[in-house]
Amino acid sequence: MKILIISPHTDDGELGAGGTICKFIRERNEVFHAVFSCCEESLPKTCLPNTLEKEFLGAQSAYGIKKENIFIYRNKVRHFPEVRREILESLVALKKRIRPNLVLSPSLNDFHQDHNVLALECIRCFKSEASIISYELPWNNLTFQKTCFVKLTKDDIEKKWNALMSYASQFELNRPYFSKEYIFALARMKGIECGSEYAESFEVIRWMIPTNGYGKSESPDA
Ligand SMILES: [Zn+2]
């Protein structure tokens, strides 16, 4: 199965779905990750402008995502609404190149303007071709319908935490969600909800039931 992770900013997909990314890779799916801003303006003053890009690449390497499967777009943080059309064009180009079976996007109920624009444009781009689920970022979500669970092992969550440790700049900013206690507690809570040791939950935006197996594209022009 070809799976595309869509992140508005460098750490979003990993915070919301890092354990699931580990499981997808462990189960030999092909994982792609596209990030739409490296947030130069949000860095601590002591950091170089490319700090988050380097940290993002370090995290992808920790997950084992191939370099050729990583896509970095350089939009200005908090300005996605102004470049909405360009973002859709980037997504359409990704769709043509990858033909993903499953897309992981931010939630439609995410009130950060960049996340919200990307969630809507993901639906416009992928709605006829791929299943779409959104990942949870509790500090940004007004509501979240847990309609899909991915059961995970302790090793998946350990790997998620190890990948998140690449983001030294975010630890410097004391982001409360860059905490081992939070990452493990949330995954444990989701695990209890679905009868697993650990888990991550998602909101189903669109689910396409495959008729010829997930390994093959159903798109006529693929
Ligand atoms: Zn973000």
Side-chain angles (χ1 to χ4, degrees):
M1 180 156 65
K2 289 197 274 187
I3 300 155
L4 173 60
I5 317 294
I6 300 283
S7 289
H9 314 119
T10 42
D11 50 19
D12 291 317
E14 293 152 47
L15 285 162
T20 300
I21 293 172
C22 291
K23 182 171 183 171
F24 284 151
I25 290 171
R26 175 160 57 79
E27 294 183 345
R28 300 181 183 281
N29 294 287
E30 190 158 13
V31 177
F32 302 81
H33 196 166
V35 62
F36 283 76
S37 173
C38 290
C39 305
E40 285 88 350
E41 297 84 357
S42 301
L43 281 162
K45 288 193 172 66
T46 50
C47 292
L48 292 169
N50 65 346
T51 297
L52 270 164
E53 180 177 340
K54 280 189 170 175
E55 292 172 350
F56 173 73
L57 292 172
Q60 306 322 295
S61 160
Y63 284 118
I65 296 178
K66 293 182 217 160
K67 271 189 184 159
E68 62 266 31
N69 289 3
I70 297 167
F71 302 88
I72 297 176
Y73 299 95
R74 299 176 195 287
N75 298 292
K76 217 171 162 187
V77 64
R78 293 185 292 278
H79 287 264
F80 285 18
E82 296 149 38
V83 288
R84 193 175 187 126
R85 195 168 65 93
E86 290 84 348
I87 284 174
L88 178 61
E89 284 169 5
S90 302
L91 288 168
V92 169
L94 276 175
K95 180 177 75 171
K96 285 184 181 160
R97 182 163 174 175
I98 298 170
R99 296 288 180 198
N101 310 100
L102 175 65
V103 175
L104 273 64
S105 82
S107 169
L108 282 173
N109 293 311
D110 193 313
F111 53 75
H112 189 297
Q113 66 269 44
D114 295 349
H115 293 209
N116 193 262
V117 161
L118 203 46
L120 282 165
E121 296 306 329
C122 272
I123 293 170
R124 286 181 70 192
C125 177
F126 295 105
K127 64 181 168 51
S128 302
E129 183 156 347
S131 292
I132 308 169
I133 58 175
S134 63
Y135 47 81
E136 184 175 12
L137 299 171
W139 54 95
N140 269 359
N141 297 148
L142 279 173
T143 60
F144 193 81
Q145 298 281 336
K146 292 172 285 182
T147 43
C148 169
F149 285 86
V150 177
K151 294 184 176 184
L152 300 170
T153 63
K154 189 172 185 182
D155 192 48
D156 292 327
I157 301 299
E158 289 281 4
K159 282 186 179 153
K160 172 177 180 171
W161 176 245
N162 284 338
L164 285 172
M165 291 213 319
S166 304
Y167 290 98
S169 66
Q170 302 305 292
F171 286 96
E172 197 177 328
L173 287 167
N174 289 318
R175 305 275 194 216
Y177 38 84
F178 272 87
S179 134
K180 190 170 186 179
E181 183 187 25
Y182 162 74
I183 296 294
F184 275 80
L186 187 70
R188 181 74 189 111
M189 188 187 90
K190 300 296 174 71
I192 287 169
E193 288 181 70
C194 68
S196 174
E197 190 178 10
Y198 292 96
E200 284 171 340
S201 63
F202 299 87
E203 193 165 45
V204 175
I205 305 291
R206 173 152 297 202
W207 195 252
M208 308 288 269
I209 296 179
T211 53
N212 63 350
Y214 268 123
K216 300 169 191 168
S217 173
E218 293 179 40
S219 173
D221 55 344

